[in-house]
Amino acid sequence: MANWMGGVLTAAGRALQAKVTAGVTGLQLTRIKLGDGTESSEDIDSMTDLRSVKSSLGISSITHEDNMCTVTGLILTSTVNTGYYAREWGVFATDPDIGEILYMVSLDNIPDWVPPSTAALTVSAEYAMSIAVENAANIVVNIDPAGLVSTEMLARAAMLRQVGTAYAMGAITYD
């Protein structure tokens, strides 16, 4: 079972976060990458990419509540050529002065196996990371139009009602 440690900003990520906090720019998240590298948390500061990239995921959704932004990407194992243990994953963002940077990294010391396309069963997995932010209005996300969405994401976007959920008087629901 996956055991992702909290996301750690890279040096470039911290520099970008300082610009976002100062109001110089918004936080523009671009994509997620998964890999099987075995770096330590001390290595993250100087990283510009994952140590051993295996998959690049478009961002499928972003949600925010209070001061937490959750960015999600989905992987379908039918697109994986060689299976791997997902030990590292990174969120990428655009720095207006540099271009795309590795913003944040999370590591897993008990990784899950991502099976290859030749496996008997095709699996989809959702990778989500929560990021603490000061102002969710300053976050821009490049939602990949070719990306996958889960049924939960689709229901949320279509504002579908959920059976067994108590809604406030006057709430608009769709069936």
Side-chain angles (χ1 to χ4, degrees):
M1 180 167 182
N3 186 34
W4 294 104
M5 293 183 265
V8 177
L9 291 174
T10 63
R14 283 194 315 278
L16 175 57
Q17 189 60 46
K19 294 174 190 175
V20 171
T21 302
V24 174
T25 186
L27 180 58
Q28 183 175 356
L29 302 175
T30 56
R31 62 182 162 152
I32 297 167
K33 287 185 182 180
L34 293 173
D36 66 353
T38 56
E39 68 273 10
S40 69
S41 57
E42 292 81 33
D43 299 327
I44 292 174
D45 194 58
S46 61
M47 291 174 67
T48 58
D49 202 351
L50 296 183
R51 178 150 300 159
S52 179
V53 176
K54 298 298 179 188
S55 300
S56 181
L57 314 177
I59 296 175
S60 298
S61 79
I62 182 171
T63 58
H64 52 82
E65 186 173 324
D66 299 325
N67 289 346
M68 294 300 287
C69 158
T70 302
V71 60
T72 304
L74 295 174
I75 186 170
L76 195 59
T77 58
S78 62
T79 65
V80 176
N81 293 328
T82 303
Y84 61 94
Y85 284 98
R87 291 185 181 94
E88 57 179 345
W89 82 283
V91 176
F92 288 75
T94 299
D95 183 306
D97 300 321
I98 301 171
E100 188 176 64
I101 62 161
L102 176 57
Y103 177 73
M104 182 180 284
V105 175
S106 186
L107 304 175
D108 188 348
N109 60 359
I110 307 172
D112 283 337
W113 174 251
V114 178
S117 59
T118 56
L121 182 63
T122 297
V123 177
S124 68
E126 184 175 299
Y127 287 88
M129 182 180 287
S130 295
I131 302 169
V133 293
E134 289 189 26
N135 185 349
N138 286 341
I139 300 173
V140 177
V141 179
N142 295 342
I143 301 291
D144 184 353
L148 301 170
V149 295
S150 66
T151 54
E152 179 184 330
M153 290 175 196
L154 183 60
R156 188 172 51 243
M159 295 184 288
L160 299 175
R161 73 175 183 89
Q162 295 190 6
V163 176
T165 301
Y167 292 95
M169 178 68 92
I172 299 173
T173 61
Y174 299 89
D175 192 359

